[in-house]
Amino acid sequence: MTSETASSLWQQTCQENAAFPEFTGEAEADLVVIGGGYTGCAAALQAAEMGATVQLIEAAEIGSGGSGRNVGLVNAGLWLPPEDINAELGADSGNRLSALLGGAPQRVFSLIEKHRIQCEPVHTGTLHCAHAPAGLKDLQRRHAELAAIGAPVELLDRDEAVRRTGSAAVHGALFDPRAGTIQPLAYVRGLARAAAAAGAQLHMHSPAAAIRRDGSSWHVSTPKGSIRAKHLIMATNAYARDITGYETPQVIPVHYFQAATDPLPAALQGKILPGREGCWDTALVMSSWRLDQAGRLVIGGMGALNHFGSALHRNWLPRKLAALYPELKDMPLRSHWHGRIAMTTEHLPKILDLNGGLACFGYSGRGIGPGTLFGAAMAETLLTGDRARLPVPPSRSHAIAFAGLRSAYYETGATLTHLVSNR
């Protein structure tokens, strides 16, 4: 693993093992999957359960990208509210996507139960918290739009939000009972285990070096072998590497960092998030917090921990913790880590048509439910030929102007915010 996750809490507490051999030699398959995150493992599992032969190759380890660095919030829907989605996709496609993603948490928790994935599942909802009185306007809008499409969301006043979170720093919240929390690395490793049990062949430390299309087949080369397959899925998202013969779609890389306390005393666990909902706020530079199975409070915010200004992020964390929960102001934070998010300008996930293959990327911070859904849907689509199974219409190309500058803008904004906030 890289230094980004060397001290990750998820690495330390993962109960799922995912040891797969390096790919060597030659193989043929119905489907080759490149990438061992939520999308790739869900695709491999779905295809194997449909009776297809599957080869999945991962450049590092299962979950070494964003899937193993996630907050672990199994959200329903996207960051965008429904009407914004419809403005981008049109009402028919937008409403369909919102409905599919509204059911994504149930898909995740059903897979966890079916395959007995040891990933600390808590299906008690999430709380989108107003960080200030002005944040209630955004939550009111989201509540109205979600309720209009039948989502069972509830707008909580300040008193109820304070009771649910145990924090006087929140000014209301939007409760979504469809959602929940998981140990994110354990979930993706559990998906990999389930895919292998269904017959898929998975390989770690096997980066795709080159791909090419030859008639009706894909040829994928790795450092020590090659795979020939009828269908291909590219599932590398924010952690794409250079591959000869493949033009990596542009995304805006945005980072998110986290740390965790020691397990809270039992008395505080009864007060702080007593229902174990996962939380995030309405601030422009978002932060999140939740409890894990042992009662550790996991807190995070936008930003990377691998540059000269990252000390500002680390110094902000205890101030934010104390602002939320003054009783935790002296509690040390451990296991600092960060991960990379693939954003698109529209904040919508994209599917690219590769002529016999599909690529998916751009979950914009909502990887667990959408990744699981999109991975399975792409596998179904390629094996059946029914493109109506795709959650969004595929595109032929994707480009973002000044993606690197936009990434720097987000990181600079987060760094400056963490310099001055919660003092």
Side-chain angles (χ1 to χ4, degrees):
M1 301 296 276
T2 72
S3 60
E4 294 182 10
T5 55
S7 60
S8 163
L9 173 67
W10 309 137
Q11 284 285 325
Q12 297 166 19
T13 63
C14 186
Q15 299 180 52
E16 287 281 350
N17 184 34
F20 300 103
E22 185 177 4
F23 181 79
T24 60
E26 297 182 356
E28 293 192 8
D30 295 317
L31 172 67
V32 59
V33 180
I34 300 175
Y38 300 130
T39 304
C41 291
L45 173 59
Q46 180 67 37
E49 289 186 333
M50 294 175 69
T53 55
V54 181
Q55 293 283 344
L56 181 148
I57 54 174
E58 162 58 42
E61 299 178 3
I62 298 299
S64 61
S67 299
R69 312 164 197 238
N70 200 282
V71 176
L73 300 180
V74 189
N75 288 301
L78 298 173
W79 182 80
L80 288 182
E83 289 185 10
D84 288 1
I85 295 174
N86 290 358
E88 293 290 341
L89 297 179
D92 290 343
S93 294
N95 287 333
R96 178 174 178 270
L97 178 61
S98 292
L100 288 172
L101 290 176
Q106 185 57 53
R107 175 188 286 262
V108 169
F109 287 107
S110 294
L111 286 171
I112 291 168
E113 181 178 9
K114 176 181 178 181
H115 299 290
R116 300 183 180 181
I117 300 175
Q118 302 302 304
C119 64
E120 306 179 14
V122 179
H123 199 178
T124 56
T126 54
L127 295 165
H128 188 180
C129 298
H131 76 291
L136 281 173
K137 292 182 180 179
D138 179 46
L139 296 185
Q140 289 167 348
R141 176 198 171 196
R142 291 174 182 270
H143 175 263
E145 293 185 18
L146 288 166
I149 62 171
V153 292
E154 181 181 356
L155 190 62
L156 308 181
D157 63 19
R158 185 179 188 280
D159 289 345
E160 181 62 11
V162 169
R163 186 188 73 78
R164 296 275 193 103
T165 61
S167 173
V170 300
H171 297 266
L174 184 63
F175 172 62
D176 193 333
R178 300 171 295 176
T181 64
I182 57 173
Q183 210 277 26
L185 178 59
Y187 172 60
V188 68
R189 287 184 174 178
L191 286 179
R193 170 176 58 79
Q201 301 295 310
L202 282 73
H203 305 276
M204 303 192 312
H205 305 292
S206 304
I211 65 172
R212 62 183 175 88
R213 180 77 168 161
D214 181 14
S216 60
S217 298
W218 288 96
H219 295 263
V220 179
S221 300
T222 72
K224 296 184 180 180
S226 63
I227 301 168
R228 179 179 176 181
K230 182 177 181 181
H231 304 293
L232 175 142
I233 288 177
M234 294 291 299
T236 52
N237 200 29
Y239 286 80
R241 301 184 179 210
D242 290 337
I243 301 174
T244 300
Y246 178 69
E247 185 176 353
T248 303
Q250 288 184 313
V251 296
I252 304 168
V254 176
H255 294 85
Y256 202 88
F257 67 96
Q258 300 175 76
T261 68
D262 292 328
L264 304 182
L268 287 180
Q269 289 192 42
K271 177 193 173 193
I272 294 174
L273 295 173
R276 298 291 175 116
E277 299 96 340
C279 302
W280 75 101
D281 64 24
T282 56
L284 181 61
V285 179
M286 187 192 81
S287 56
S288 63
W289 64 101
R290 53 160 297 194
L291 294 175
D292 77 343
Q293 189 174 62
R296 301 178 186 89
L297 193 137
V298 183
I299 184 170
M302 290 179 62
L305 299 180
N306 61 354
H307 61 84
F308 69 93
S310 62
L312 298 175
H313 296 319
R314 290 176 179 267
N315 293 337
W316 166 82
L317 271 176
R319 300 199 307 269
K320 179 64 176 180
L321 180 63
L324 285 170
Y325 301 107
E327 57 268 60
L328 302 183
K329 66 182 179 63
D330 296 322
M331 181 163 281
L333 287 162
R334 324 258 187 209
S335 307
H336 295 74
W337 73 96
H338 77 272
R340 191 160 62 243
I341 294 167
M343 290 185 64
T344 63
T345 52
E346 307 90 347
H347 302 291
L348 288 172
K350 303 290 185 179
I351 294 177
L352 287 188
D353 184 344
L354 304 178
N355 186 27
L358 295 168
C360 183
F361 56 91
Y363 299 125
S364 299
R366 292 291 181 98
I368 297 175
T372 303
L373 171 69
F374 275 61
M378 288 192 295
E380 290 178 349
T381 296
L382 290 174
L383 294 176
T384 65
D386 182 6
R387 298 210 160 200
R389 298 174 185 246
L390 292 176
V392 294
S395 304
R396 283 287 182 179
S397 62
H398 178 77
I400 296 178
F402 308 110
L405 289 176
R406 295 180 189 216
S407 175
Y409 168 81
Y410 282 112
E411 181 61 32
T412 300
T415 303
L416 292 176
T417 297
H418 292 157
L419 170 65
V420 300
S421 65
N422 300 118
R423 289 191 177 275

